[in-house]
Amino acid sequence: MRLQRTLLLLVACAAGAPAALVVGLLARGHAQLDSASVAAAAGALAVAAALSALVARSITRPIAECVRGALEIARGRFGREVPVRARNELGDLALGFNHMSRELARYDAENRRLIHDLEAGYLDTLRSLASAIDAKDPYTRGHSERVAELAAEIGRELGLPRETVAALVYGGILHDIGKIGVPDAILAKRAALTPEERALVEVHPGTGAEIVAGVEFLRGAVPAIRGHHERWDGDGYPDRLRGEEIPLVARIVNAADTWDACTTNRPYQAALAEGDALPLLAELRGTQIDPAVHDALVAVLRRRAAAARAPSAA
Amino acid sequence: MKVLLADDDGLIRALVSDLLAELGHAVVVAADGVEAVALSARERPDVLVLDLLMPRLSGLDALRAMRAAGVAAPAVLLTAITDGSARALEGAEEVAVVLEKPVSRRTLARALARAAATA
Ligand SMILES: [Fe+2]
């Protein structure tokens, strides 16, 4: 708009000034101006003003449109295009601009696709790693995968950001990776563990966190792995953290892990039906499990049950 | 008043937050739009001063996210772009005042007063 004002002023001066000068000279030289020449002068001034406005507008409008398009791209909205109004340099500007915008959108989409593929590839690698752990223990087949899925759903239920939900998926898949260091005989043992055996089992969160700590892309999952056996009341392991001292991702993986353990067969207990597991879960609310996480888990389970009852509606 | 200031340029952050403090306001600063959105939820500012062009999330898109999250504080859009061009952008209708850079103590005080008056 500033450009339009400046142009309007410039062109109006350039076109109008000579006309005004002529009128001035005429008025001074011949005292009596006939009405015809006054009308002609006024007409010339009016035409000059109208043409100036037209010129100012025809130059300013395409430029303003390009400015708007450039600002939209600057704020990350690739692919915005501007109208091409004329076959001149201004039209060329718009054409070049549109091409650039489309190319940016293409690069952006390509980039996103590559990142997505990369993450999916990582995830596949993690899954096969985790299934190696699940395979050590016949009772936990598919456990890691289910914990990851449930933990991510709880995270979304709590409105956590995308990166935290990703950390929950990775942390869920890898939470028991440290069991790689625990002898198979202990993992499969039906009888109560001796104190020595228990000590061997209880190092697995720390071992797991150490295994994963060197991988930059799994950084967010490390606290989830290390803390997944901490308890809300402070009675867990390995760091005996209490309440909010326990990282939220660890509290969530703990709840998901507990739920999956209750509802699948274990060496020490048969699977509970969901109806029997829910009261058990309620008992753990505020002792083992963060109350807020418990409530989110229950909401997720309700939604799953509703979806299972009405599969056609899903 | 508590003012949330978001600008990716450290120099402008320092300068404007100094001016804001001189004018007697409390200031919380963010270095980009994503940070600003997170801060606005935590700090409950009275006025938002948002740079238009920031990495990750522009001032206007940050403002949209804040409005969606229920932050109703009036917004001053801080920009090197002229008022007319900024006003033409999508989402600019949520902006109470466009404040053109460079910012002086006087223009800043006036923009804040006008923004506060719309609240
Ligand atoms: Fe475990």
Side-chain angles (χ1 to χ4, degrees):
Chain A
M1 277 310 149
R2 277 173 211 196
L3 181 62
Q4 180 155 13
R5 265 201 315 265
T6 314
L7 265 174
L8 189 61
L9 203 69
L10 274 174
V11 182
C13 284
L21 191 69
V22 169
V23 172
L25 285 175
L26 281 174
R28 194 185 272 179
H30 315 270
Q32 69 282 36
L33 268 173
D34 56 8
S35 58
S37 49
V38 171
L45 278 171
V47 169
L51 280 176
S52 316
L54 201 69
V55 168
R57 199 174 126 78
S58 68
I59 294 177
T60 314
R61 209 160 126 217
I63 293 180
E65 272 158 357
C66 279
V67 167
R68 195 177 325 153
L71 287 172
E72 294 291 2
I73 286 179
R75 70 197 272 210
R77 298 176 171 193
F78 305 132
R80 285 298 165 99
E81 300 199 10
V82 298
V84 180
R85 296 198 180 278
R87 292 208 37 88
N88 57 22
E89 287 83 346
L90 288 170
D92 297 346
L93 178 63
L95 275 173
F97 180 91
N98 288 345
H99 181 72
M100 178 187 76
S101 181
R102 280 193 302 273
E103 285 294 286
L104 275 172
R106 210 169 53 75
Y107 285 133
D108 188 49
E110 174 84 358
N111 230 343
R112 282 171 201 273
R113 196 181 58 74
L114 286 174
I115 291 172
H116 176 265
D117 287 357
L118 206 64
E119 280 184 0
Y122 276 138
L123 207 57
D124 287 343
T125 313
L126 294 183
R127 283 207 184 97
S128 55
L129 203 64
S131 65
I133 303 306
D134 287 355
K136 261 171 82 81
D137 178 347
Y139 289 99
T140 57
R141 189 152 301 132
H143 170 65
S144 307
E145 191 89 27
R146 290 193 300 271
V147 170
E149 213 169 286
L150 187 53
E153 272 188 68
I154 298 173
R156 279 191 288 268
E157 175 72 27
L158 288 169
L160 301 180
R162 212 188 79 88
E163 309 88 78
T164 312
V165 173
L168 285 169
V169 173
Y170 303 141
I173 288 182
L174 294 172
H175 71 280
D176 271 344
I177 191 85
K179 281 192 178 166
I180 216 159
V182 180
D184 296 12
I186 299 181
L187 292 180
K189 194 171 169 188
R190 280 162 186 278
L193 298 178
T194 67
E196 295 77 41
E197 289 169 335
R198 180 173 296 276
L200 275 175
V201 170
E202 290 189 358
V203 296
H204 84 269
T207 312
E210 275 167 36
I211 291 172
V212 167
V215 187
E216 170 63 33
F217 138 85
L218 293 174
R219 182 188 293 244
V222 173
I225 297 169
R226 182 164 183 96
H228 81 273
H229 282 293
E230 300 289 355
R231 288 172 54 105
W232 184 250
D233 59 13
D235 244 359
Y237 61 87
D239 300 311
R240 297 188 67 84
L241 300 178
R242 173 192 297 272
E244 309 244 332
E245 290 170 0
I246 311 165
L248 177 60
V249 281
R251 283 178 260 152
I252 293 173
V253 171
N254 174 274
D257 187 20
T258 304
W259 177 257
D260 194 70
C262 288
T263 53
T264 51
N265 285 310
R266 286 297 161 109
Y268 40 84
Q269 66 172 38
L272 291 173
E274 294 216 351
D276 299 326
L278 273 171
L280 184 71
L281 198 69
E283 268 173 50
L284 298 176
R285 184 182 190 274
T287 55
Q288 182 195 315
I289 300 175
D290 174 353
V293 172
H294 168 275
D295 297 348
L297 170 57
V298 170
V300 168
L301 294 171
R302 271 210 198 106
R303 221 182 16 245
R304 280 187 176 183
R309 269 199 306 275
S312 54
Chain B
M1 286 193 299
K2 187 194 242 182
V3 180
L4 167 63
L5 168 66
D7 197 308
D8 54 322
D9 185 336
L11 202 62
I12 298 215
R13 277 202 304 276
L15 228 114
V16 176
S17 59
D18 278 357
L19 286 176
L20 285 168
E22 272 178 46
L23 291 167
H25 302 301
V27 192
V28 281
V29 291
D32 62 49
V34 175
E35 235 183 274
V37 174
L39 264 182
S40 74
R42 253 203 323 276
E43 299 280 346
R44 296 273 148 207
D46 304 301
V47 176
L48 311 162
V49 179
L50 308 172
D51 182 28
L52 171 60
L53 294 180
M54 293 186 282
R56 298 214 281 168
L57 199 62
S58 77
L60 286 178
D61 296 296
L63 182 59
R64 171 176 300 182
M66 289 179 198
R67 292 291 187 250
V71 176
V76 176
L77 191 69
L78 188 61
T79 175
I81 287 145
T82 59
D83 185 283
S85 296
R87 279 283 171 205
L89 292 173
E90 198 186 313
E93 61 282 350
E94 274 297 325
V95 171
V97 183
V98 175
L99 176 58
E100 289 181 18
K101 293 179 190 174
V103 177
S104 73
R105 198 186 147 115
R106 207 166 51 84
T107 55
L108 181 63
R110 203 186 316 151
L112 285 178
R114 274 176 49 207
T118 66

